[in-house]
Amino acid sequence: MALDGIRMPDGCYADGTWELKMHVTDLNKDVSLRVTGEIHIGGVMLRLVEELDVKKDWSDHALWWEKKKTWLLKTHWTLDKYGIQADARLLFTPQHKLLRLQLPNMKHMKVKVNFSDRVFKAVSDICKTFNIRHPEELSLLRKPRDPKKKKKKLEGMEEDSLELEGPLLTPGSGKTGIIYIGPVKGSIYSSPGLYSKTMTPTYDSRDGSPLSPTTAWFGDSPLSEGNPSILAVSQPISSPDMLVKLYKPQSLLDKAKINQGWLDSSRSLMEQDVKENDVLLLRFKYHSFFDLNPKYDAIRVNQLYEQAKWAILLEEIECTEEEMMMFAALQGDITSIPELADYVKVFKPKKLTLKGYKQYWCTFKDITISCYKSREEAHGTPALQMNLRGCEVTPDVNISGQKFNIKLLIPVADGMNEIWLRCDTEKQYAHWMAACRLASKGKTMADSSYNLEVQNILSFLKMQHMNPDPQFIAEPINTDINPECLVSPRYLKKYKNKQVSPGRPFWPGHIRDLISARILEAHQNVAQMSLIEAKMRFIQAWQSLPEFGITHFLAKFQGGKKEELIGITYNRLIRMDAGTGDAIKTWRFSNMKQWNVNWEIKMVTVEFADEPSLAFICAEVDCKVVHEFIGGYIFLSTRAKDQNESLDEEMFYKLTSGWV
């Protein structure tokens, strides 16, 4: 009598086999196999695929043990060695899954990420996809929750408003190569390529945009859109409402709570309960930027600039009013100089001619006027173009006759060209006349004197009217600058309170114009910079702020009676007052002998060469996060320029994991 079909009370069969329950996520199907503890994981997967009998490339699939939150990646291990018994439930699921990444520029990108890789490796692959060198400086952060917002309704609205539709990006294949059944037409796991090992420049020296290597990596995807990658291009803030929607930490304690969300670099995404299609933030975690070179780092520089920009706008870091105006002036959309575009009549006086003015669609950019036959042809070749540097500008105005002419004598190789411009209104004349005067001096409309020049011209014209209004106040001049998108809300409010007072002339937009003038004034110092140079200067100025690079954690120090803050930077630990942020005591990493963690009581202990040891218990955050910050900065300090671009992952894990 055969015993293999007889089931015992404990669920096992008389022949020593037992049923292993597995769920195939792709098919939403449960499967049970008769196994013994001696079968290895690879054999289990092979038998499972044979049982399914579905022609499909299963090579990216692996087994996930739900209860233990662990991947069964050692395919030569047996079920017994893993400790798997009949009560276990395993998932047969793809290792690569979709993840929505919010990049430092606040835009979202859908990416295929290996959920079985440790986070450090996953981030490295993501950065290779995005052509970001030195991925060890970045990591993944859970999205902070704004306690003032109700549920997920507003969060969903916020995400939609910031969505960047892009292609499905896959950082590397990660195939196991174990199982393949049936023909497969291509693979979704094609890698777009690694960053250049030969350090080929990837930028345009004129505007800082990346060159063809990045285009090749992204191919004809929507990410490139004809220009190399959109990831290297700064996205101007379209509306101040965006700043209102985003979470702003109100205190040092709020900043400390954000840092609870850093993922453990030594564990996989699945082990940390990250689900497919979840949103995670890709951020520069360690503020120690190695070999930042605009020639090779167009995307890295832009994303770092964006992270710095948002940190300032959302008041995550303190700066003075003067510094705020400097940061506003350095932002990329400021370097696009205000322009004029309108129908203007143009006349070229010559001897023996009776021809009069001819209407053109004219654009005034930088110090050049371009004339087109119509507005629709403005993207083509201009019928007439004039560079006004060094020209002579003469007004020809008759108020009663409504004549508003501008006479230009423009230097050319064989003498001077005479061009007359005729405007239809006083307002149009004031703008074009002011722009011509500045252009003759080699200045653009970004010059802080432009608005004042327009106001003076309008005031002068008003005085020539037969019955001038003594109460006349020239209307404010609109500029292309939106200061609400360039400075933090606090400084907008502060500037408004400072400027508005009894007896002071005021109109809607008055404060806006005043701040715009301040920003344009600050911009004169950086007007000649290229975009990439302005971003580099922005990053350098951000690094110069007193609070730069301090990551805060709430902690209780040994011997202390209340919770305080521990601040970690690239070279030191800081004990801080939780209310004021004042530094109480500083310890340098260069003086550190070792650091340890008592995992039972979650206490971090740091020993120094010539002073008492430091011990503290982390509050509201796993001490593993703090341990990783200390070890991570130690790891980054070992980098040298003569090294190749490969990373010593095992060294990173030894310094940050605590138990490896």
Side-chain angles (χ1 to χ4, degrees), residues 14-26:
D15 61 357
T17 63
W18 44 274
E19 288 189 353
L20 177 63
K21 300 179 181 65
M22 289 172 285
H23 179 75
V24 183
T25 58
D26 286 12

Side-chain angles (χ1 to χ4, degrees), residues 72-137:
L72 309 180
L73 299 179
K74 297 177 180 178
T75 54
H76 61 285
W77 277 27
T78 64
L79 295 175
D80 281 345
K81 191 165 185 178
Y82 265 117
I84 296 172
Q85 298 177 351
D87 61 346
R89 183 175 184 268
L90 307 181
L91 297 185
F92 189 56
T93 187
Q95 296 172 73
H96 283 82
K97 299 177 185 293
L98 276 175
L99 193 65
R100 287 186 63 206
L101 287 181
Q102 188 197 69
L103 275 59
N105 64 358
M106 295 294 183
K107 302 299 182 182
H108 291 79
M109 188 68 68
K110 293 179 182 178
V111 185
K112 279 266 187 182
V113 179
N114 193 330
F115 273 52
S116 68
D117 271 343
R118 291 190 276 194
V119 166
F120 185 83
K121 176 64 166 59
V123 171
S124 181
D125 284 345
I126 290 167
C127 289
K128 286 175 184 176
T129 301
F130 292 155
N131 192 29
I132 297 176
R133 294 194 306 138
H134 299 292
E136 66 275 13
E137 297 168 2

